[in-house]
Every structure is written in C-alpha cells, then in structure tokens.
Amino acid sequence: METGSKVIEDFYNRTWLYRYEEPISPATLTTLWSLSVAIFSVGGMIGSFSVGLFVNRFGRRNSMLMSNVLAFMSAVLMGFSKMALSFEMLILGRFIIGLYSGLTTGFVPMYVGEVSPTALRGALGTFHQLGIVLGILIAQVFGLDLIMGNDSLWPLLLGFIFVPALLQCIILPFAPESPRFLLINRNEENKAKSVLKKLRGTTDVSSDLQEMKEESRQMMREKKVTIMELFRSPMYRQPILIAIVLQLSQQLSGINAVFYYSTSIFEKAGVEQPVYATIGSGVVNTAFTVVSLFVVERAGRRTLHLIGLAGMAGCAVLMTIALTLLDQMPWMSYLSIVAIFGFVAFFEIGPGPIPWFIVAELFSQGPRPAAFAVAGLSNWTSNFIVGMGFQYIAQLCGSYAFIIFTVLLVLFFIFTYFKVPETKGRTFDEIASGFRQGGASQSDKTPDEFHSLGADSQV
C-alpha cells in the first residue's frame, strides 16, 4: 500500500468528514493508516499458524483451492469500500487478504517441495519467491498515479486480487495432488504412483515410491507430531530452531523496512521521482530472484544464504554512510540508491527465497505441517514488528537505523555458518536422518564432516 498511501489517507479524511462533519485529526489518521498496514501482518500470523489445520485434512492442492474464497471476500470488501464510504471495509479486507497470504505461504512451498524431484527442488521452490516479487512489482507499477494509483481507480487496484484468485480456481483443478500426501497420509499408493508418472514423465518411479515408503515407515514409528512436540523432542528441536532463525533472517534483515518506506528513503536521498526509484528496486528484486533460481541447485542453499546475508550487511553500512553524509555531499544520494538496489539484490540471492522452501526440506512428512505453522508464524510476526517499529526507530536513530539491521545480519550469518546444513541433492528422509543421528550440529563446521551429510553431493 506504500505507493498509494496519500490517496488512501485522503479517502480516510473525506470519509471522516462526511460522517462527523469535521476533519480527521493527524493522530487518528496515523492510527488508521498504521492499522491498515499492520492488520495485513496480523492476518498473516493467524493464517500461517492455521496451515496444519487444512493440509492434512483436505490435502495440499485442495487447501490452496479453498483458500481463494478469502481472496474473493477481500477483493469485494476493499473494492467497494470507497462506494460504501467505509474505511472499516478496507481494513477488514486487508485482514482477510492477510489470512489468505499467511495460508498460501505455507501451502505453496509445501506443495512445490513435495511434487518436485530432488534435483530440482531448490529451483522450483524459488518460483514461490518469484511469484511474490512479481506481485510486488506489478502492484508498484499499477499503483502509479498514471495507471490506477489515483483517486478514482484505487478501489479497482485493491480489488484486482480477484483476477489471480479466479485464474487459480480455473487452473488448479488440473494440477495433481501431492504424491507424498496421497501415499503417506492417505495410503493411496496407486494414485500416488499415477501422479508420480505424470510429474516425472516416466513409467519407472520405483525409487521415488521406495523413498516415500521408507519415510512413511519412519513416520509410523513416531507418535503424532504436535507443535509443542517440535520443541520438546531432541529430534526436531534443532531443525525447528534453524527454520525459525532463517525466517527471522528474512524479515529482520531490514528488507521490509526498505520496501515499506522505500519512497520516503528515496525522497530523503534527494531523488526527484522517488516512486520510479522504488519501482526500480522492484525490478532488481525480480531480476535477482531469477538469478537465484538458476544457481540454487549449483551453489547450494547454505552458500547462497551466506552470500546474501554478507552482501546485505555491506550494503546496509553503505546506506548508513550515504544517508549520514548526504547534507555535506549531495552526490551521496546516488550511493544510497546503489546501496538500496544492492541490498535488494543480495536479499533475493539467498534470504528471500531460501527460508520458504528449506522448511519443507528440513522435516519429514509427519512434522512438516506443524513446522510450517511455527516457521510461518515467526515470519509474519517479525514482519509485523518491523512494519510497526521501523518508523519509530528511524525517528529515533535517523540515518543510523540500518546499523541495527547490520548487527542482526552479522548474527544471522554466524548462525547460518555454524548451524545450517546443506540440503542440496538430498532426499527428505536423508535430511531428517541426519538430524535423528545428531550429526547435523557439527556437520557444518568442516568440509570433510559436512560431506558425510551430503553437502557436497552433485546434482
């Protein structure tokens, strides 16, 4: 909503004036606007934590299909809020689309991880992040004053989510259900075998089936995995810690601070048309997600995540220097733009796509839904904290605000280096076995030890 913030605030002001015959106070306007932004993350927190309620009962594909009802509801509420002179409808619509987003950030990477062959799991998992950044870019472009970000068309812009939801309802029924869900959760081996043949394009799927059956046998030996069990059991404690910290490394890296307040950052940097610079960062965002898609199966998840975190930390330092010296050296505005673009580029190399799909890789079929719920809640909660808190941090710290993110990025780098195993080229059961054997915590420290967990396996 960053691009059209002034238009929405004008709507709030006019609505208040119509109802109460007096202008809205600045404090009330700020509260309503902050609520409109934050309520999306609150919905995301609730939605992400509810993933497990759907995927085991209805299946991965059907859960994605059913969730589109929320998108339709949100589109109607936000699209007709201006006509009804109701900012409450807009805020409720934001909450519902947050619920939808929270659910889909669990459903989609889980489904993609389960239908993908091991050799392409990382690349296909990156498509989830590519969809997110493409959506951000399209929203930024359509939010321009010249297109739909104006007083007459903004309700159509917010109601536009109806279109992709409708497309998904038309296309998704032709997609197969997850073969892992069919075999392990439903015990429908023939259906799972038929789906695998279509997905792999071959009649010989015996190795995939054998791997799934072994995972199923392992799951039957374990008791039902609840969210609390993830933290109580030594078998799951380390992978859930890794999943949570990687989600935090995505949101507490400062990327949402850049996107939430990118226009104001560019204005402070002296850019004459800051909205176009913001769109430029969206283009960089998308371009480097595509780069990650092509290199993730070669370089590996852990390596790309480390490169991304280190690069972001360097760019955050550059951004701080540029904004601090801007008054003395006007040309520093160009350095700040380069730093922001670099920050976004490094984010999409690692911390952007990897935390989403690596959760599916760290857990076997049994604990996976509960793990996605916990990881998703961590992601959306930290998203909420940054969205609500960064403006106050920026007021308090000024140009030094990004130093806080630099410190966090360094801490996440250290954690990733010592604790996160490589999952490239390994089956779900091999990864889970590594944690069961208790060797994962030491496996990252040296290349020889790491090799024993398959870190150097080639695709």
Side-chain angles (χ1 to χ4, degrees), residues 126-139:
T126 305
F127 272 104
H128 170 66
Q129 179 70 7
L130 182 59
I132 292 173
V133 298
L134 269 175
I136 292 170
L137 179 59
I138 290 168

Side-chain angles (χ1 to χ4, degrees), residues 1-15 24 29-30 32-34 36-37 82 90 143-145 148-155 157-158 260-268 271-276 278:
M1 290 179 70
E2 173 69 17
T3 307
S5 60
K6 291 182 174 61
V7 176
I8 304 295
E9 287 176 352
D10 286 343
F11 162 66
Y12 287 172
N13 197 14
R14 287 197 306 272
T15 302
I24 191 170
L29 181 60
T30 301
L32 283 175
W33 172 248
S34 299
S36 303
V37 173
K82 182 184 177 185
L90 195 153
L144 290 171
D145 289 347
M148 296 170 77
N150 50 59
D151 188 57
S152 57
L153 292 179
W154 69 260
L157 174 64
L158 296 184
Y260 281 143
Y261 304 103
S262 54
T263 302
S264 58
I265 289 172
F266 283 124
E267 282 176 351
K268 186 176 180 182
V271 179
E272 291 183 8
Q273 295 288 342
V275 69
Y276 292 108
T278 301

Side-chain angles (χ1 to χ4, degrees), residues 377-431:
L377 180 65
S378 305
N379 189 290
W380 284 95
T381 302
S382 50
N383 182 311
F384 173 79
I385 291 169
V386 173
M388 290 299 289
F390 180 72
Q391 56 184 327
Y392 302 109
I393 293 172
Q395 288 170 6
L396 185 66
C397 303
S399 57
Y400 296 100
F402 279 91
I403 290 295
I404 297 170
F405 293 118
T406 305
V407 173
L408 289 170
L409 286 162
V410 171
L411 292 175
F412 291 134
F413 181 94
I414 293 168
F415 178 89
T416 302
Y417 184 81
F418 287 106
K419 291 293 183 182
V420 178
E422 184 55 77
T423 57
K424 179 188 72 173
R426 297 164 63 199
T427 66
F428 290 128
D429 193 53
E430 286 171 350
I431 297 165

Side-chain angles (χ1 to χ4, degrees), residues 120-285:
L120 294 174
R121 201 171 55 221
L124 293 176
T126 305
F127 272 104
H128 170 66
Q129 179 70 7
L130 182 59
I132 292 173
V133 298
L134 269 175
I136 292 170
L137 179 59
I138 290 168
Q140 287 173 334
V141 173
F142 277 51
L144 290 171
D145 289 347
L146 297 172
I147 305 176
M148 296 170 77
N150 50 59
D151 188 57
S152 57
L153 292 179
W154 69 260
L156 192 60
L157 174 64
L158 296 184
F160 192 75
I161 52 176
F162 186 93
V163 176
L166 182 62
L167 284 173
Q168 193 175 81
C169 286
I170 294 169
I171 297 169
L172 204 52
F174 295 98
E177 181 52 271
S178 161
R180 305 187 86 85
F181 171 77
L182 291 172
L183 180 65
I184 300 175
N185 295 81
R186 291 280 175 86
N187 199 27
E188 296 177 355
E189 184 176 339
N190 289 333
K191 283 187 179 179
K193 189 173 183 180
S194 176
V195 167
L196 276 171
K197 286 178 180 178
K198 291 177 183 176
L199 289 170
R200 304 292 185 261
T202 178
T203 54
D204 183 13
V205 292
S206 55
S207 60
D208 286 287
L209 279 174
Q210 186 58 39
E211 187 252 317
M212 290 181 197
K213 287 178 181 178
E214 179 57 38
E215 187 178 333
S216 180
R217 282 192 289 271
Q218 181 63 38
M219 191 174 119
M220 290 174 71
R221 288 195 290 268
E222 303 165 359
K223 61 182 179 180
K224 188 175 186 289
V225 182
T226 61
I227 287 173
M228 290 308 298
E229 188 65 25
L230 289 175
F231 295 95
R232 280 198 290 254
S233 170
M235 189 188 308
Y236 303 127
R237 199 176 295 136
Q238 182 164 345
I240 196 61
L241 175 63
I242 291 170
I244 290 171
V245 173
L246 288 184
Q247 296 293 334
L248 294 179
S249 76
Q250 184 189 82
Q251 296 296 334
L252 299 183
S253 63
I255 191 66
N256 276 340
V258 169
F259 280 122
Y260 281 143
Y261 304 103
S262 54
T263 302
S264 58
I265 289 172
F266 283 124
E267 282 176 351
K268 186 176 180 182
V271 179
E272 291 183 8
Q273 295 288 342
V275 69
Y276 292 108
T278 301
I279 291 172
S281 67
V283 172
V284 172
N285 204 20

Side-chain angles (χ1 to χ4, degrees), residues 51 60 99 110 139 153 194 268 321 349 382 408 426 449:
V51 166
R60 280 56 166 155
L99 279 175
M110 189 185 303
L153 292 179
S194 176
K268 186 176 180 182
I321 293 170
I349 285 173
S382 50
L408 289 170
R426 297 164 63 199
E449 290 174 321

